Amino acid sequence: QVQLVESGGGLVQPGESLRLSCAASRSRFSIYAMGWYRQAPGKQREWVARIFSGGTTNYVDAVKGRFTISRDNAKNTVYLQMNSLRPEDTAVYYCNQVPPLAYWGQGTQVTVSS
């Protein structure tokens, strides 16, 4: 059974940075496209960034140029480097496959506030 464990969230001020990590327990991790998603209070969960097995990346327009997704297949881990954070980035962040599995981890809270 797949497990996804997100970490690295916290409370930061606008303009600061955070690096999120997601450890995935599944075989053949390297062949799967992985993504980061987020859910803000009162809103639906949305896709933020994805990385394919070959390393190609895509981002939602709202985070382009500020967020960077990467992966370490040897560690079954995907990362999200978030720079120049804004209050509107406040959300619970989740990782999952692309397209996502029905199972979701607990997520990690990111709060951007002065």
Side-chain angles (χ1 to χ4, degrees):
Q1 183 173 349
V2 175
Q3 285 194 324
L4 302 165
V5 180
E6 301 92 346
S7 63
L11 171 63
V12 297
Q13 295 189 343
E16 294 186 338
S17 299
L18 280 174
R19 188 193 194 205
L20 307 184
S21 299
C22 170
S25 64
R26 77 161 302 150
S27 60
R28 304 179 71 195
F29 169 83
S30 63
I31 72 170
Y32 295 98
M34 295 296 296
W36 283 96
Y37 304 78
R38 67 185 179 186
Q39 187 167 20
K43 295 187 177 181
Q44 288 190 330
R45 185 151 41 200
E46 64 174 352
W47 163 76
V48 174
R50 63 188 177 192
I51 183 166
F52 293 92
S53 58
T56 300
T57 58
N58 300 117
Y59 302 89
V60 68
D61 285 348
V63 308
K64 280 181 181 177
R66 300 188 298 121
F67 290 11
T68 303
I69 188 172
S70 60
R71 66 192 298 164
D72 185 337
N73 291 330
K75 296 181 178 179
N76 279 22
T77 300
V78 61
Y79 304 97
L80 187 67
Q81 177 67 42
M82 306 188 295
N83 298 329
S84 302
L85 282 161
R86 303 169 180 171
E88 54 264 38
D89 295 319
T90 295
V92 179
Y93 283 72
Y94 303 86
C95 74
N96 208 321
Q97 289 180 198
V98 178
L101 301 169
Y103 163 82
W104 291 86
Q106 83 288 348
T108 186
Q109 175 71 48
V110 172
T111 303
V112 185
S113 175
S114 55

